[in-house]
Amino acid sequence: MTSTAPEARQGQDAGEPHGEEPASWPQRMRRFGHSPRPGIGLRERLVPPYTRPGAQLWAVLGISPPLAARLVRWSAWGGPLLVALVAGVLRFWNLGSPHALIFDETYYAKDSWALINQGYEGDWPKDIDKLILADPSKVHIPVDPGYVVHPPVGKWIIGIGEQIFGFTPFGWRFMVAVLGTLSVLMLCRIGRRLFRSTFLGCLAGTLLAVDGLHFVMSRAALLDLVLMFFVLAAFGALLIDRDWARRRLAAALPVDEEGVLRPDAWVAENLRLGLRPWRLAAGLMLGLAFATKWNGLYILVGFGLMTVLWDVGARRTAGAVRPYAAVLKRDLLPAFVSTVPVTILTYLASWTGWIVTDKGYYRNWAQTDGRGGAWTWLPDWLRSLWHYEYQVYEFHVNLTSGHTYQSNPWSWIVLGRPVSYFWAEQPGCAASETGKCSREVLAIGTPLLWWAACFALVYVLWRWFFRRDWRAGAIACGVAAGWLPWFFYQERTIFLFYAVVFVPFLCLAVTMMIGAMLGPAAGAGAKQELGLVSGDPSGERRRTLGTIAAGVLVLLIIWNFIYFWPIYTGTPIPDGSWRDRMWLDTWI
């Protein structure tokens, strides 16, 4: 098949004859024995292949090529599942401890129990926590509605665990631990697709599995881990959609007589990509994120811009002369419809329990205080919900009361002020010089991982600005969408654990930096730009040193997680050991 120029294609569409495009200069030079340098073809630029271990590795291990091929296929899912299994064991181990309502569990565990049983949150007595922990069977759900300031999806999810395992610490933490484990699996697969490497994907998931903040949030009935799960799921869906759209473009582009894919301006600017189910799935996930906590709306804006820019890059790579105009014409409206309306409808659907009852807080506002006005043509439930949402907005923006563990978002990335979820002293501790042991659940990231992420973010930004690496841009977008909006509310009472929403992207940033430390395999054809060719001693030496450095960094991060394990899980340790782990004064 011969590539057709745009002018010739227009003549063809009008019923006019056209001639074949003249051969390119590389094709003409091949007649004289010229062999071009291997490079990255258009097909590989649109849909890069996944990297595979070299034959030398299998030969060293004594594995035959057929078995090696099966192991490579198995590792695509087997590796991520193995990492997720380890993460799940860690998260579910002794999940019911501490036997307490830690930090904001005192709100969400009770609201979830009421929501799952009667469709709306109740107004709980202030002294009910002790009775819940002592004998939940004696606890009666309050009929009077309670004023809550977060949408219901996260509480519905927590309530599912309570319905299965009862109104107990294990019950209200169960579903959060499930989502925490699944998010590790998702990040392994997302990292694999992003970096085209099963090894790097599993490394990203491993880093998430041993991050302290993600670990603690996976073992507490709070909303932020649920929000993180849906944000990560939306990112993964958009990543799959990106590959799907680029494969669609590649399939429509012409192929020359030598079987090489060629760019075509007409195809790149006019091809309709049709229904994109993964983008719809992303809209659903973003709606569930928004219906968990409102900052999911900022994620929608960031991811929406990101996916449109991905379409611009795809059409430009395929040969579009005016890629922005092509996206504006062909992709912008479908992208909007697939995300924004789906997100809003999902958010409204999440309030079904409140809508169908007549006892929810502000449920009857439209028939009482809200009678009259210019919007009476709207359904009463919608007007009441709008009023409720406005009151919640006023609460959030004016929440400036001080808190012991509040922190400024500038300090989050260096773990300036973590949050203590639980603290208790245990007397009669023979291992302690003071005779006391300390128990704490501290919501803090694994320090070495987060401090490494500071350097990784600099590398990612450099890679994005100066190398135009879309992967670095995607990681930066995930971090920015979850972090930067909080800088607009620095006077508000905010906490470091809000940062859990962008922890997966920090892990991806560190993974990308480690991938750069490792370097490409010697002899990898498209990687010749780094000067690493087969048999190059300097390339082999550089890769060996990079592998050692990367391995040491990963092992130190894992050791750091193990070292802080007691203060992630509330394990009793001597008071001196607890103080040894307070590396900064602001952690106390």
Side-chain angles (χ1 to χ4, degrees):
M1 179 177 178
T2 304
S3 176
T4 306
E7 296 81 5
R9 186 182 297 277
Q10 292 171 3
Q12 180 183 9
D13 293 342
E16 299 175 4
H18 63 277
E20 292 188 353
E21 183 181 1
S24 63
W25 72 265
Q27 294 172 356
R28 295 195 298 270
M29 292 297 292
R30 287 193 185 99
R31 301 171 185 172
F32 302 98
H34 170 72
S35 298
R37 292 179 61 185
I40 303 177
L42 178 58
R43 189 180 303 278
E44 287 72 26
R45 290 169 60 201
L46 282 171
V47 188
Y50 288 87
T51 59
R52 293 175 177 270
Q56 292 181 348
L57 174 64
W58 303 121
V60 169
L61 297 176
I63 298 175
S64 64
L67 178 58
R70 287 196 295 271
L71 288 175
V72 169
R73 288 194 300 270
W74 171 86
S75 66
W77 273 103
L81 286 171
L82 182 60
V83 174
L85 176 63
V86 173
V89 170
L90 294 175
R91 279 150 180 76
F92 279 95
W93 178 85
N94 205 16
L95 182 61
S97 177
H99 187 75
L101 286 154
I102 62 175
F103 203 66
D104 281 351
E105 281 187 344
T106 187
Y107 304 115
Y108 302 128
K110 292 181 290 191
D111 287 342
S112 301
W113 183 244
L115 192 65
I116 201 73
N117 282 283
Q118 64 186 19
Y120 65 93
E121 297 90 343
D123 186 17
W124 291 89
K126 293 183 179 180
D127 56 350
I128 197 68
D129 289 6
K130 291 182 179 180
L131 180 59
I132 292 173
L133 295 170
D135 189 357
S137 64
K138 296 181 179 179
V139 175
H140 300 286
I141 301 173
V143 177
D144 293 336
Y147 177 64
V148 295
V149 295
H150 290 297
V153 161
K155 288 167 282 187
W156 281 112
I157 290 174
I158 294 171
I160 292 173
E162 293 175 328
Q163 279 289 87
I164 299 173
F165 296 103
F167 196 24
T168 64
F170 184 87
W172 58 65
R173 295 170 190 160
F174 175 78
M175 284 303 299
V176 184
V178 169
L179 297 189
T181 303
L182 290 178
S183 65
V184 172
L185 175 62
M186 282 198 303
L187 191 65
C188 289
R189 294 287 297 177
I190 286 170
R192 179 179 183 271
R193 184 175 292 271
L194 189 68
F195 301 121
R196 275 348 199 220
S197 167
T198 299
F199 170 76
L200 290 181
C202 290
L203 175 59
T206 299
L207 293 177
L208 186 63
V210 297
D211 174 64
L213 183 60
H214 185 275
F215 176 77
V216 171
M217 297 299 291
S218 297
R219 293 167 55 89
L222 274 68
L223 303 181
D224 299 86
L225 192 285
V226 181
L227 170 66
M228 182 280 305
F229 175 84
F230 289 126
V231 168
L232 186 61
F235 181 81
L238 290 175
L239 203 59
I240 298 174
D241 172 75
R242 180 184 186 274
D243 280 355
W244 181 92
R246 294 170 80 91
R247 281 197 300 269
R248 180 88 168 81
L249 276 170
L253 289 174
V255 180
D256 65 17
E257 58 189 12
E258 296 186 358
V260 178
L261 197 69
R262 295 297 180 189
D264 188 294
W266 191 92
V267 171
E269 293 182 0
N270 293 279
L271 180 68
R272 294 182 181 275
L273 296 175
L275 181 66
R276 298 170 68 166
W278 285 105
R279 186 173 270 175
L280 288 170
L284 175 63
M285 293 298 105
L286 290 168
L288 292 172
F290 180 33
T292 300
K293 292 189 77 171
W294 276 5
N295 49 319
L297 194 58
Y298 291 104
I299 309 292
L300 168 64
V301 175
F303 283 7
L305 292 173
M306 179 182 69
T307 188
V308 169
L309 290 176
W310 283 353
D311 284 344
V312 171
R315 291 189 180 273
R316 179 190 288 118
T317 302
V321 179
R322 296 175 295 275
Y324 285 95
V327 168
L328 182 64
K329 178 181 178 182
R330 298 296 185 190
D331 301 321
L332 190 60
L333 182 60
F336 177 85
V337 172
S338 299
T339 52
V340 177
V342 173
T343 296
I344 294 174
L345 289 175
T346 302
Y347 182 84
L348 290 176
S350 72
W351 284 89
T352 299
W354 181 88
I355 293 170
V356 298
T357 184
D358 59 353
K359 295 180 180 179
Y361 205 88
Y362 281 131
R363 178 61 184 85
N364 300 311
W365 175 86
Q367 295 99 326
T368 55
D369 296 341
R371 287 179 299 178
W375 300 95
T376 53
W377 55 275
L378 290 173
D380 287 343
W381 67 266
L382 185 57
R383 292 174 57 223
S384 297
L385 181 59
W386 180 266
H387 177 73
Y388 194 173
E389 303 288 69
Y390 178 77
Q391 295 300 317
V392 169
Y393 173 78
E394 288 290 309
F395 168 84
H396 282 304
V397 298
N398 294 307
L399 183 60
T400 57
S401 57
H403 193 284
T404 303
Y405 294 108
Q406 71 182 66
S407 59
N408 191 288
W410 288 106
S411 68
W412 291 357
I413 194 66
V414 293
L415 303 176
R417 182 58 171 163
V419 182
S420 180
Y421 282 178
F422 173 82
W423 166 264
E425 284 189 343
Q426 184 170 318
C429 184
S432 174
E433 295 179 358
T434 62
K436 294 180 180 179
C437 276
S438 298
R439 294 187 65 195
E440 183 175 29
V441 176
L442 188 66
I444 183 174
T446 302
L448 293 185
L449 173 59
W450 281 63
W451 295 340
C454 295
F455 296 96
L457 287 178
V458 174
Y459 171 73
V460 162
L461 291 175
W462 174 83
R463 187 84 190 176
W464 181 34
F465 280 120
F466 295 103
R467 293 296 184 90
R468 310 309 301 168
D469 191 327
W470 72 272
R471 302 168 303 171
I475 295 170
C477 178
V479 174
W483 186 18
L484 294 186
W486 292 108
F487 288 90
F488 297 109
Y489 303 98
Q490 294 187 56
E491 299 301 321
R492 186 186 182 276
T493 306
I494 52 180
F495 303 93
L496 183 144
F497 66 81
Y498 295 171
V500 73
V501 71
F502 61 84
V503 165
F505 300 97
L506 294 182
C507 294
L508 289 173
V510 174
T511 300
M512 191 171 191
M513 182 179 70
I514 290 175
M517 293 167 62
L518 292 172
K527 309 289 180 62
Q528 291 184 355
E529 61 183 29
L530 298 180
L532 303 179
V533 294
S534 182
D536 180 8
S538 62
E540 293 288 352
R541 189 181 312 111
R542 177 248 182 268
R543 184 168 174 80
T544 300
L545 293 176
T547 301
I548 293 172
V552 169
L553 176 59
V554 173
L555 290 175
L556 284 175
I557 290 172
I558 295 174
W559 164 83
N560 202 204
F561 173 76
I562 296 171
Y563 179 71
F564 279 89
W565 172 271
I567 63 172
Y568 293 146
T569 58
T571 302
I573 55 176
D575 187 66
S577 298
W578 172 81
R579 291 189 177 277
D580 289 341
R581 288 163 173 79
M582 298 297 105
W583 287 0
L584 300 177
D585 292 340
T586 55
W587 293 4
I588 299 176

mmCIF file with all atom_site columns, all heavy atoms in Angstrom, residues 357-375:
data_model
loop_
_atom_site.group_PDB
_atom_site.id
_atom_site.type_symbol
_atom_site.label_atom_id
_atom_site.label_alt_id
_atom_site.label_comp_id
_atom_site.label_asym_id
_atom_site.label_entity_id
_atom_site.label_seq_id
_atom_site.pdbx_PDB_ins_code
_atom_site.Cartn_x
_atom_site.Cartn_y
_atom_site.Cartn_z
_atom_site.occupancy
_atom_site.B_iso_or_equiv
_atom_site.pdbx_formal_charge
_atom_site.auth_seq_id
_atom_site.auth_comp_id
_atom_site.auth_asym_id
_atom_site.auth_atom_id
_atom_site.pdbx_PDB_model_num
ATOM 1   N N   . THR A 1 357 ? -35.361 9.645  50.899 1.00 0.00 ? 357 THR A N   1
ATOM 2   C CA  . THR A 1 357 ? -35.910 9.783  52.244 1.00 0.00 ? 357 THR A CA  1
ATOM 3   C C   . THR A 1 357 ? -36.447 11.192 52.440 1.00 0.00 ? 357 THR A C   1
ATOM 4   O O   . THR A 1 357 ? -36.141 12.102 51.663 1.00 0.00 ? 357 THR A O   1
ATOM 5   C CB  . THR A 1 357 ? -34.832 9.493  53.310 1.00 0.00 ? 357 THR A CB  1
ATOM 6   O OG1 . THR A 1 357 ? -35.427 9.546  54.600 1.00 0.00 ? 357 THR A OG1 1
ATOM 7   C CG2 . THR A 1 357 ? -33.710 10.508 53.239 1.00 0.00 ? 357 THR A CG2 1
ATOM 8   N N   . ASP A 1 358 ? -37.250 11.380 53.475 1.00 0.00 ? 358 ASP A N   1
ATOM 9   C CA  . ASP A 1 358 ? -37.734 12.729 53.788 1.00 0.00 ? 358 ASP A CA  1
ATOM 10  C C   . ASP A 1 358 ? -37.160 13.204 55.129 1.00 0.00 ? 358 ASP A C   1
ATOM 11  O O   . ASP A 1 358 ? -37.623 14.193 55.686 1.00 0.00 ? 358 ASP A O   1
ATOM 12  C CB  . ASP A 1 358 ? -39.261 12.763 53.840 1.00 0.00 ? 358 ASP A CB  1
ATOM 13  C CG  . ASP A 1 358 ? -39.821 11.807 54.884 1.00 0.00 ? 358 ASP A CG  1
ATOM 14  O OD1 . ASP A 1 358 ? -39.044 11.026 55.461 1.00 0.00 ? 358 ASP A OD1 1
ATOM 15  O OD2 . ASP A 1 358 ? -41.049 11.843 55.110 1.00 0.00 ? 358 ASP A OD2 1
ATOM 16  N N   . LYS A 1 359 ? -36.114 12.484 55.616 1.00 0.00 ? 359 LYS A N   1
ATOM 17  C CA  . LYS A 1 359 ? -35.582 12.808 56.934 1.00 0.00 ? 359 LYS A CA  1
ATOM 18  C C   . LYS A 1 359 ? -34.141 13.321 56.897 1.00 0.00 ? 359 LYS A C   1
ATOM 19  O O   . LYS A 1 359 ? -33.581 13.636 57.935 1.00 0.00 ? 359 LYS A O   1
ATOM 20  C CB  . LYS A 1 359 ? -35.654 11.569 57.836 1.00 0.00 ? 359 LYS A CB  1
ATOM 21  C CG  . LYS A 1 359 ? -37.076 11.111 58.125 1.00 0.00 ? 359 LYS A CG  1
ATOM 22  C CD  . LYS A 1 359 ? -37.086 9.888  59.015 1.00 0.00 ? 359 LYS A CD  1
ATOM 23  C CE  . LYS A 1 359 ? -38.509 9.433  59.298 1.00 0.00 ? 359 LYS A CE  1
ATOM 24  N NZ  . LYS A 1 359 ? -38.533 8.218  60.162 1.00 0.00 ? 359 LYS A NZ  1
ATOM 25  N N   . GLY A 1 360 ? -33.526 13.332 55.726 1.00 0.00 ? 360 GLY A N   1
ATOM 26  C CA  . GLY A 1 360 ? -32.151 13.790 55.639 1.00 0.00 ? 360 GLY A CA  1
ATOM 27  C C   . GLY A 1 360 ? -32.025 15.270 56.000 1.00 0.00 ? 360 GLY A C   1
ATOM 28  O O   . GLY A 1 360 ? -32.979 16.042 55.905 1.00 0.00 ? 360 GLY A O   1
ATOM 29  N N   . TYR A 1 361 ? -30.809 15.654 56.402 1.00 0.00 ? 361 TYR A N   1
ATOM 30  C CA  . TYR A 1 361 ? -30.553 17.043 56.792 1.00 0.00 ? 361 TYR A CA  1
ATOM 31  C C   . TYR A 1 361 ? -30.814 17.950 55.594 1.00 0.00 ? 361 TYR A C   1
ATOM 32  O O   . TYR A 1 361 ? -30.332 17.706 54.489 1.00 0.00 ? 361 TYR A O   1
ATOM 33  C CB  . TYR A 1 361 ? -29.114 17.188 57.275 1.00 0.00 ? 361 TYR A CB  1
ATOM 34  C CG  . TYR A 1 361 ? -28.919 18.349 58.227 1.00 0.00 ? 361 TYR A CG  1
ATOM 35  C CD1 . TYR A 1 361 ? -29.107 18.184 59.593 1.00 0.00 ? 361 TYR A CD1 1
ATOM 36  C CD2 . TYR A 1 361 ? -28.557 19.599 57.755 1.00 0.00 ? 361 TYR A CD2 1
ATOM 37  C CE1 . TYR A 1 361 ? -28.927 19.241 60.479 1.00 0.00 ? 361 TYR A CE1 1
ATOM 38  C CE2 . TYR A 1 361 ? -28.371 20.657 58.628 1.00 0.00 ? 361 TYR A CE2 1
ATOM 39  C CZ  . TYR A 1 361 ? -28.560 20.480 59.990 1.00 0.00 ? 361 TYR A CZ  1
ATOM 40  O OH  . TYR A 1 361 ? -28.387 21.531 60.859 1.00 0.00 ? 361 TYR A OH  1
ATOM 41  N N   . TYR A 1 362 ? -31.593 19.020 55.789 1.00 0.00 ? 362 TYR A N   1
ATOM 42  C CA  . TYR A 1 362 ? -31.984 19.971 54.741 1.00 0.00 ? 362 TYR A CA  1
ATOM 43  C C   . TYR A 1 362 ? -32.834 19.327 53.644 1.00 0.00 ? 362 TYR A C   1
ATOM 44  O O   . TYR A 1 362 ? -33.063 19.948 52.598 1.00 0.00 ? 362 TYR A O   1
ATOM 45  C CB  . TYR A 1 362 ? -30.761 20.624 54.087 1.00 0.00 ? 362 TYR A CB  1
ATOM 46  C CG  . TYR A 1 362 ? -30.138 21.750 54.886 1.00 0.00 ? 362 TYR A CG  1
ATOM 47  C CD1 . TYR A 1 362 ? -28.763 21.773 55.105 1.00 0.00 ? 362 TYR A CD1 1
ATOM 48  C CD2 . TYR A 1 362 ? -30.908 22.783 55.397 1.00 0.00 ? 362 TYR A CD2 1
ATOM 49  C CE1 . TYR A 1 362 ? -28.180 22.800 55.837 1.00 0.00 ? 362 TYR A CE1 1
ATOM 50  C CE2 . TYR A 1 362 ? -30.329 23.811 56.127 1.00 0.00 ? 362 TYR A CE2 1
ATOM 51  C CZ  . TYR A 1 362 ? -28.967 23.818 56.345 1.00 0.00 ? 362 TYR A CZ  1
ATOM 52  O OH  . TYR A 1 362 ? -28.398 24.841 57.058 1.00 0.00 ? 362 TYR A OH  1
ATOM 53  N N   . ARG A 1 363 ? -33.293 18.101 53.842 1.00 0.00 ? 363 ARG A N   1
ATOM 54  C CA  . ARG A 1 363 ? -34.026 17.419 52.762 1.00 0.00 ? 363 ARG A CA  1
ATOM 55  C C   . ARG A 1 363 ? -35.288 18.168 52.379 1.00 0.00 ? 363 ARG A C   1
ATOM 56  O O   . ARG A 1 363 ? -35.679 18.182 51.196 1.00 0.00 ? 363 ARG A O   1
ATOM 57  C CB  . ARG A 1 363 ? -34.368 15.988 53.204 1.00 0.00 ? 363 ARG A CB  1
ATOM 58  C CG  . ARG A 1 363 ? -35.184 15.199 52.183 1.00 0.00 ? 363 ARG A CG  1
ATOM 59  C CD  . ARG A 1 363 ? -34.434 15.049 50.878 1.00 0.00 ? 363 ARG A CD  1
ATOM 60  N NE  . ARG A 1 363 ? -35.235 14.377 49.863 1.00 0.00 ? 363 ARG A NE  1
ATOM 61  C CZ  . ARG A 1 363 ? -36.102 14.994 49.064 1.00 0.00 ? 363 ARG A CZ  1
ATOM 62  N NH1 . ARG A 1 363 ? -36.288 16.305 49.158 1.00 0.00 ? 363 ARG A NH1 1
ATOM 63  N NH2 . ARG A 1 363 ? -36.766 14.307 48.161 1.00 0.00 ? 363 ARG A NH2 1
ATOM 64  N N   . ASN A 1 364 ? -35.955 18.803 53.317 1.00 0.00 ? 364 ASN A N   1
ATOM 65  C CA  . ASN A 1 364 ? -37.220 19.486 53.026 1.00 0.00 ? 364 ASN A CA  1
ATOM 66  C C   . ASN A 1 364 ? -37.072 21.006 53.010 1.00 0.00 ? 364 ASN A C   1
ATOM 67  O O   . ASN A 1 364 ? -38.048 21.726 53.143 1.00 0.00 ? 364 ASN A O   1
ATOM 68  C CB  . ASN A 1 364 ? -38.272 19.077 54.069 1.00 0.00 ? 364 ASN A CB  1
ATOM 69  C CG  . ASN A 1 364 ? -38.526 17.580 54.045 1.00 0.00 ? 364 ASN A CG  1
ATOM 70  O OD1 . ASN A 1 364 ? -38.749 16.995 52.991 1.00 0.00 ? 364 ASN A OD1 1
ATOM 71  N ND2 . ASN A 1 364 ? -38.484 16.952 55.222 1.00 0.00 ? 364 ASN A ND2 1
ATOM 72  N N   . TRP A 1 365 ? -35.868 21.486 52.807 1.00 0.00 ? 365 TRP A N   1
ATOM 73  C CA  . TRP A 1 365 ? -35.631 22.934 52.813 1.00 0.00 ? 365 TRP A CA  1
ATOM 74  C C   . TRP A 1 365 ? -36.444 23.647 51.745 1.00 0.00 ? 365 TRP A C   1
ATOM 75  O O   . TRP A 1 365 ? -36.976 24.748 51.977 1.00 0.00 ? 365 TRP A O   1
ATOM 76  C CB  . TRP A 1 365 ? -34.146 23.205 52.602 1.00 0.00 ? 365 TRP A CB  1
ATOM 77  C CG  . TRP A 1 365 ? -33.823 24.661 52.484 1.00 0.00 ? 365 TRP A CG  1
ATOM 78  C CD1 . TRP A 1 365 ? -33.575 25.535 53.492 1.00 0.00 ? 365 TRP A CD1 1
ATOM 79  C CD2 . TRP A 1 365 ? -33.713 25.413 51.270 1.00 0.00 ? 365 TRP A CD2 1
ATOM 80  N NE1 . TRP A 1 365 ? -33.319 26.787 53.004 1.00 0.00 ? 365 TRP A NE1 1
ATOM 81  C CE2 . TRP A 1 365 ? -33.402 26.739 51.635 1.00 0.00 ? 365 TRP A CE2 1
ATOM 82  C CE3 . TRP A 1 365 ? -33.850 25.106 49.916 1.00 0.00 ? 365 TRP A CE3 1
ATOM 83  C CZ2 . TRP A 1 365 ? -33.211 27.746 50.691 1.00 0.00 ? 365 TRP A CZ2 1
ATOM 84  C CZ3 . TRP A 1 365 ? -33.666 26.093 48.974 1.00 0.00 ? 365 TRP A CZ3 1
ATOM 85  C CH2 . TRP A 1 365 ? -33.355 27.399 49.369 1.00 0.00 ? 365 TRP A CH2 1
ATOM 86  N N   . ALA A 1 366 ? -36.583 23.046 50.563 1.00 0.00 ? 366 ALA A N   1
ATOM 87  C CA  . ALA A 1 366 ? -37.299 23.702 49.465 1.00 0.00 ? 366 ALA A CA  1
ATOM 88  C C   . ALA A 1 366 ? -38.771 23.920 49.796 1.00 0.00 ? 366 ALA A C   1
ATOM 89  O O   . ALA A 1 366 ? -39.387 24.883 49.322 1.00 0.00 ? 366 ALA A O   1
ATOM 90  C CB  . ALA A 1 366 ? -37.165 22.876 48.181 1.00 0.00 ? 366 ALA A CB  1
ATOM 91  N N   . GLN A 1 367 ? -39.370 23.026 50.620 1.00 0.00 ? 367 GLN A N   1
ATOM 92  C CA  . GLN A 1 367 ? -40.784 23.173 50.982 1.00 0.00 ? 367 GLN A CA  1
ATOM 93  C C   . GLN A 1 367 ? -40.984 24.089 52.190 1.00 0.00 ? 367 GLN A C   1
ATOM 94  O O   . GLN A 1 367 ? -42.124 24.479 52.465 1.00 0.00 ? 367 GLN A O   1
ATOM 95  C CB  . GLN A 1 367 ? -41.401 21.798 51.294 1.00 0.00 ? 367 GLN A CB  1
ATOM 96  C CG  . GLN A 1 367 ? -41.459 20.869 50.074 1.00 0.00 ? 367 GLN A CG  1
ATOM 97  C CD  . GLN A 1 367 ? -40.307 19.894 50.071 1.00 0.00 ? 367 GLN A CD  1
ATOM 98  O OE1 . GLN A 1 367 ? -39.204 20.213 50.499 1.00 0.00 ? 367 GLN A OE1 1
ATOM 99  N NE2 . GLN A 1 367 ? -40.577 18.682 49.558 1.00 0.00 ? 367 GLN A NE2 1
ATOM 100 N N   . THR A 1 368 ? -39.898 24.419 52.882 1.00 0.00 ? 368 THR A N   1
ATOM 101 C CA  . THR A 1 368 ? -40.039 25.247 54.085 1.00 0.00 ? 368 THR A CA  1
ATOM 102 C C   . THR A 1 368 ? -39.365 26.603 53.886 1.00 0.00 ? 368 THR A C   1
ATOM 103 O O   . THR A 1 368 ? -39.967 27.531 53.342 1.00 0.00 ? 368 THR A O   1
ATOM 104 C CB  . THR A 1 368 ? -39.455 24.506 55.304 1.00 0.00 ? 368 THR A CB  1
ATOM 105 O OG1 . THR A 1 368 ? -38.095 24.129 55.027 1.00 0.00 ? 368 THR A OG1 1
ATOM 106 C CG2 . THR A 1 368 ? -40.251 23.240 55.604 1.00 0.00 ? 368 THR A CG2 1
ATOM 107 N N   . ASP A 1 369 ? -38.120 26.712 54.298 1.00 0.00 ? 369 ASP A N   1
ATOM 108 C CA  . ASP A 1 369 ? -37.430 27.998 54.204 1.00 0.00 ? 369 ASP A CA  1
ATOM 109 C C   . ASP A 1 369 ? -37.149 28.427 52.779 1.00 0.00 ? 369 ASP A C   1
ATOM 110 O O   . ASP A 1 369 ? -36.936 29.617 52.514 1.00 0.00 ? 369 ASP A O   1
ATOM 111 C CB  . ASP A 1 369 ? -36.102 27.931 54.972 1.00 0.00 ? 369 ASP A CB  1
ATOM 112 C CG  . ASP A 1 369 ? -36.318 27.701 56.456 1.00 0.00 ? 369 ASP A CG  1
ATOM 113 O OD1 . ASP A 1 369 ? -37.437 27.946 56.937 1.00 0.00 ? 369 ASP A OD1 1
ATOM 114 O OD2 . ASP A 1 369 ? -35.367 27.243 57.124 1.00 0.00 ? 369 ASP A OD2 1
ATOM 115 N N   . GLY A 1 370 ? -37.128 27.487 51.835 1.00 0.00 ? 370 GLY A N   1
ATOM 116 C CA  . GLY A 1 370 ? -36.772 27.820 50.451 1.00 0.00 ? 370 GLY A CA  1
ATOM 117 C C   . GLY A 1 370 ? -37.950 28.029 49.531 1.00 0.00 ? 370 GLY A C   1
ATOM 118 O O   . GLY A 1 370 ? -37.785 28.016 48.295 1.00 0.00 ? 370 GLY A O   1
ATOM 119 N N   . ARG A 1 371 ? -39.132 28.206 50.080 1.00 0.00 ? 371 ARG A N   1
ATOM 120 C CA  . ARG A 1 371 ? -40.304 28.411 49.215 1.00 0.00 ? 371 ARG A CA  1
ATOM 121 C C   . ARG A 1 371 ? -40.194 29.724 48.460 1.00 0.00 ? 371 ARG A C   1
ATOM 122 O O   . ARG A 1 371 ? -39.715 30.721 48.990 1.00 0.00 ? 371 ARG A O   1
ATOM 123 C CB  . ARG A 1 371 ? -41.578 28.394 50.044 1.00 0.00 ? 371 ARG A CB  1
ATOM 124 C CG  . ARG A 1 371 ? -41.967 26.998 50.533 1.00 0.00 ? 371 ARG A CG  1
ATOM 125 C CD  . ARG A 1 371 ? -43.227 27.043 51.361 1.00 0.00 ? 371 ARG A CD  1
ATOM 126 N NE  . ARG A 1 371 ? -43.053 27.871 52.563 1.00 0.00 ? 371 ARG A NE  1
ATOM 127 C CZ  . ARG A 1 371 ? -44.015 28.104 53.445 1.00 0.00 ? 371 ARG A CZ  1
ATOM 128 N NH1 . ARG A 1 371 ? -45.233 27.599 53.243 1.00 0.00 ? 371 ARG A NH1 1
ATOM 129 N NH2 . ARG A 1 371 ? -43.775 28.834 54.520 1.00 0.00 ? 371 ARG A NH2 1
ATOM 130 N N   . GLY A 1 372 ? -40.674 29.721 47.212 1.00 0.00 ? 372 GLY A N   1
ATOM 131 C CA  . GLY A 1 372 ? -40.664 30.925 46.398 1.00 0.00 ? 372 GLY A CA  1
ATOM 132 C C   . GLY A 1 372 ? -39.331 31.113 45.686 1.00 0.00 ? 372 GLY A C   1
ATOM 133 O O   . GLY A 1 372 ? -38.418 30.302 45.786 1.00 0.00 ? 372 GLY A O   1
ATOM 134 N N   . GLY A 1 373 ? -39.226 32.212 44.935 1.00 0.00 ? 373 GLY A N   1
ATOM 135 C CA  . GLY A 1 373 ? -37.990 32.503 44.217 1.00 0.00 ? 373 GLY A CA  1
ATOM 136 C C   . GLY A 1 373 ? -38.086 32.121 42.756 1.00 0.00 ? 373 GLY A C   1
ATOM 137 O O   . GLY A 1 373 ? -39.129 31.656 42.255 1.00 0.00 ? 373 GLY A O   1
ATOM 138 N N   . ALA A 1 374 ? -36.964 32.334 42.050 1.00 0.00 ? 374 ALA A N   1
ATOM 139 C CA  . ALA A 1 374 ? -36.943 32.159 40.603 1.00 0.00 ? 374 ALA A CA  1
ATOM 140 C C   . ALA A 1 374 ? -36.683 30.719 40.166 1.00 0.00 ? 374 ALA A C   1
ATOM 141 O O   . ALA A 1 374 ? -36.768 30.416 38.990 1.00 0.00 ? 374 ALA A O   1
ATOM 142 C CB  . ALA A 1 374 ? -35.872 33.076 40.000 1.00 0.00 ? 374 ALA A CB  1
ATOM 143 N N   . TRP A 1 375 ? -36.329 29.833 41.109 1.00 0.00 ? 375 TRP A N   1
ATOM 144 C CA  . TRP A 1 375 ? -35.933 28.486 40.732 1.00 0.00 ? 375 TRP A CA  1
ATOM 145 C C   . TRP A 1 375 ? -36.944 27.423 41.163 1.00 0.00 ? 375 TRP A C   1
ATOM 146 O O   . TRP A 1 375 ? -36.625 26.247 41.264 1.00 0.00 ? 375 TRP A O   1
ATOM 147 C CB  . TRP A 1 375 ? -34.570 28.151 41.344 1.00 0.00 ? 375 TRP A CB  1
ATOM 148 C CG  . TRP A 1 375 ? -33.497 29.087 40.898 1.00 0.00 ? 375 TRP A CG  1
ATOM 149 C CD1 . TRP A 1 375 ? -33.068 30.206 41.539 1.00 0.00 ? 375 TRP A CD1 1
ATOM 150 C CD2 . TRP A 1 375 ? -32.756 28.994 39.682 1.00 0.00 ? 375 TRP A CD2 1
ATOM 151 N NE1 . TRP A 1 375 ? -32.091 30.823 40.819 1.00 0.00 ? 375 TRP A NE1 1
ATOM 152 C CE2 . TRP A 1 375 ? -31.864 30.087 39.661 1.00 0.00 ? 375 TRP A CE2 1
ATOM 153 C CE3 . TRP A 1 375 ? -32.732 28.096 38.614 1.00 0.00 ? 375 TRP A CE3 1
ATOM 154 C CZ2 . TRP A 1 375 ? -30.971 30.320 38.625 1.00 0.00 ? 375 TRP A CZ2 1
ATOM 155 C CZ3 . TRP A 1 375 ? -31.838 28.317 37.577 1.00 0.00 ? 375 TRP A CZ3 1
ATOM 156 C CH2 . TRP A 1 375 ? -30.985 29.414 37.584 1.00 0.00 ? 375 TRP A CH2 1
#
